[in-house]
Amino acid sequence: PPAAGRSRSDKTSNRSLAMQGLFDDDNEKLEETRSTPDAPLADRLRPRQPEDIVGQDHLVGRDGTIGRMIAAGKLSSIILWGPPGTGKTSLARLLADQTDLHFKAISAVFSGVTELKKVFAEAEMRFQSGKATLLFVDEIHRFNRSQQDSFLPYVERGTVVLVGATTENPSFELNAALLSRAQVLILNRLDTVALGRLLEKAEKLENKSLPLTDSAREALIASADGDGRFLLNQAETLFSLDIADPLDPSQLAKTLHRRMPVYDKDREGHYNLISALHKALRGSDPQAALYYLARMLVAGEEPLYVLRRIVRFASEDIGLADPQALVQTLAAKDAYAFLGSPEGELAIVQACLYCATAPKSNAAYKAQKQAWKSAKQTGSLMPPENILNAPTKLMKDIGYGAGYSYDHETDDGFSGDNYWPDEMAPENFYQPVDRGFEHKIRERLAYWENLRAKKTG
């Protein structure tokens, strides 16, 4: 019949049928993603129960946030933050299985405005029939701010329960408005024990042991660098090969490629490692400093970036406790520019070790901050007349430079004159520590202060 002649119940019924078809289509897509016998090993081992998750007991355990959500049957929007291969996608699928929510997965890498509009429209129709959607967004940090804002009304109304996954620090990559509506849950890098359990699960599933010696097994786990997905992919390769005798570590290295460290030069790992290097230098631990230096350079960091930070460290954290630190770091910069990689990297190592083993002082750093603050507060105060420049007769006539004491002509080489503006009391910005070369500077300042007191007293 014509649309105008349809009853309200007919419209409702047809809309329900349309939505049911939408649900069925989505569920069929979801079923297609479930593991099949020929699916990759990592997919076939996807957890079906909370206890199947390895290495994240702080989240899925009975007292963990996700464990409590599952037990209560009530899920709130969350952001899963952790390194690659730690189970973010597996957790999202597990939550869909454990709750009465429709599961929809998208990737921010491949989705744009059109895809988001379609997802939200479908979720809205589904919500009107009484069913909310668990929307899993992989790499959610890839969405720009306006795209992230588009989630807000649907999350607020409960149309979708957002589960976002990111390898980047949400504080920097996600909108504050979106973060305020979701809990941030941190996934740990998988440790040796968790990775070992993954291999055991894989062997049980395949019903055979990996063709590795004990030491090679340890090497395989170490090569994963905390990434469970990478480890299972490597294990799957080994299962597929016809290997008669167990491989030792050297044979394993020839058989498999090694995973490169996770390190994006403009991302979280970059700032974490440079922070660790700086703090190890400040803490006078040359071994740890050398380790973090190696981590950065091996991962492909620009050597000049590291050198710039070490040069800065020489002024900020050593200063005049060892004036040679700045000389050494600048010499390392010149040596690296002259030699290039890899020969010039030894000069960076030398500068790193010199700074780590040098006496430390941040007196110059603190003095700079206090002096800059004072300069902003005092504005345009004139220096006292006795130290003003007087290049013309007029300036001399009005008193510029009058009464200036030439220090070299005094008995002690020290006049003790006042060099501060008349409207300002002297301040003590630089206070050397009693370490390294600053110990001598401290003695000099005390000597001059004593002379000044005698001259003015």
Side-chain angles (χ1 to χ4, degrees):
R6 292 178 185 168
S7 68
R8 183 178 181 86
S9 60
D10 288 337
K11 293 178 182 178
T12 303
S13 175
N14 288 338
R15 186 177 66 180
S16 299
L17 287 172
M19 287 191 292
Q20 184 61 50
L22 173 66
F23 299 165
D24 291 342
D25 289 344
D26 281 349
N27 285 331
E28 285 174 9
K29 291 176 183 177
L30 178 58
E31 288 302 322
E32 289 173 4
T33 65
R34 299 199 184 278
S35 60
T36 58
D38 58 346
L41 178 61
D43 189 61
R44 285 182 283 135
L45 273 178
R46 282 201 186 277
R48 302 301 181 203
Q49 300 294 329
E51 57 268 22
D52 295 333
I53 298 282
V54 300
Q56 311 301 341
D57 292 344
H58 65 294
L59 295 180
V60 299
R62 181 175 299 177
D63 296 327
T65 303
I66 290 178
R68 292 197 302 270
M69 286 182 181
I70 292 174
K74 186 175 178 62
L75 182 64
S76 60
S77 292
I78 57 177
I79 302 296
L80 301 174
W81 173 29
T86 51
K88 295 184 291 295
T89 303
S90 294
L91 269 176
R93 291 191 179 279
L94 178 65
L95 288 170
D97 289 340
Q98 296 289 318
T99 56
D100 187 28
L101 296 174
H102 182 83
F103 182 78
K104 179 69 177 179
I106 62 173
S107 170
V109 176
F110 302 109
S111 301
V113 174
T114 302
E115 173 70 12
L116 283 177
K117 287 181 178 179
K118 179 182 177 183
V119 168
F120 292 142
E122 293 173 353
E124 192 66 51
M125 292 177 66
R126 199 176 293 115
F127 188 64
Q128 291 175 12
S129 72
K131 194 176 186 68
T133 299
L134 189 156
L135 178 58
F136 174 63
V137 183
D138 198 18
E139 304 284 343
I140 191 171
H141 61 275
R142 302 276 188 174
F143 279 138
N144 60 39
R145 295 196 173 273
S146 61
Q147 289 170 324
Q148 291 178 30
D149 284 341
S150 68
F151 286 87
L152 299 179
Y154 302 98
V155 171
E156 286 180 343
R157 290 199 300 269
T159 306
V160 300
V161 174
L162 175 65
V163 178
T166 179
T167 56
E168 301 302 325
N169 190 328
S171 301
F172 304 136
E173 303 296 336
L174 299 184
N175 287 3
L178 188 58
L179 282 177
S180 69
R181 292 162 175 80
Q183 292 188 66
V184 176
L185 303 182
I186 301 174
L187 280 76
N188 295 330
R189 177 182 181 276
L190 297 187
D191 59 18
T192 300
V193 174
L195 293 172
R197 287 179 58 195
L198 270 184
L199 286 187
E200 292 171 1
K201 288 175 176 287
E203 290 172 322
K204 183 178 180 180
L205 182 66
E206 296 290 332
N207 198 27
K208 58 182 176 181
S209 299
L210 286 166
L212 301 172
T213 64
D214 290 343
S215 55
R217 189 183 186 91
E218 292 175 2
L220 177 65
I221 290 174
S223 72
D225 194 25
D227 188 332
R229 186 187 305 109
F230 176 85
L231 180 67
L232 291 177
N233 290 342
Q234 296 289 69
E236 186 168 24
T237 299
L238 292 172
F239 282 133
S240 68
L241 299 176
D242 184 16
I243 301 174
D245 299 318
L247 303 176
D248 62 23
S250 62
Q251 293 169 324
L252 175 67
K254 293 177 181 178
T255 304
L256 299 175
H257 67 281
R258 188 179 183 280
R259 183 181 188 276
M260 290 302 293
V262 177
Y263 187 82
D264 292 324
K265 295 182 184 179
D266 61 344
R267 301 290 181 178
E268 177 83 1
H270 163 84
Y271 295 108
N272 284 344
L273 287 183
I274 197 61
S275 175
L277 172 61
H278 195 120
K279 290 178 174 65
L281 288 170
R282 182 181 290 153
S284 301
D285 189 335
Q287 318 305 340
L290 190 56
Y291 168 72
Y292 290 116
L293 175 69
R295 281 277 300 274
M296 298 186 79
L297 294 182
V298 166
E301 180 57 78
E302 174 59 48
L304 285 176
Y305 169 78
V306 180
L307 267 170
R308 282 194 293 272
R309 290 302 297 261
I310 296 177
V311 170
R312 164 69 181 188
F313 179 88
S315 291
E316 178 181 340
D317 289 279
I318 298 174
L320 292 174
D322 186 348
Q324 279 296 312
L326 187 57
V327 176
Q328 286 280 334
T329 54
L330 290 174
K333 182 262 296 183
D334 291 340
Y336 179 78
F338 183 57
L339 295 173
S341 290
E343 290 86 355
E345 290 173 7
L346 183 57
I348 304 177
V349 169
Q350 179 176 329
C352 174
L353 294 176
Y354 190 97
C355 288
T357 56
K360 305 299 189 295
S361 170
N362 70 341
Y365 173 70
K366 291 169 65 177
Q368 181 207 9
K369 295 180 76 68
Q370 292 176 25
W372 262 236
K373 180 180 178 181
S374 180
K376 291 176 181 177
Q377 291 174 343
T378 55
S380 305
L381 294 181
M382 285 285 287
E385 286 189 346
N386 64 312
I387 60 171
L388 291 178
N389 186 34
T392 68
K393 183 178 183 299
L394 172 63
M395 297 171 81
K396 290 178 181 178
D397 290 344
I398 61 176
Y400 279 27
Y404 172 64
S405 300
Y406 189 55
D407 291 76
H408 297 294
E409 293 179 348
T410 64
D411 293 338
D412 298 305
F414 177 79
S415 67
D417 279 357
N418 173 52
Y419 300 102
W420 292 87
D422 293 334
E423 302 91 335
M424 181 179 177
E427 296 193 31
N428 191 11
F429 301 129
Y430 176 53
Q431 301 180 47
V433 300
D434 198 21
R435 294 187 294 275
F437 185 71
E438 281 197 326
H439 173 76
K440 295 184 178 296
I441 296 176
R442 192 182 183 98
E443 290 179 344
R444 289 179 197 162
L445 292 179
Y447 170 72
W448 288 327
E449 187 60 34
N450 184 51
L451 287 180
R452 183 178 289 109
K454 288 180 179 179
K455 290 178 182 293
T456 58

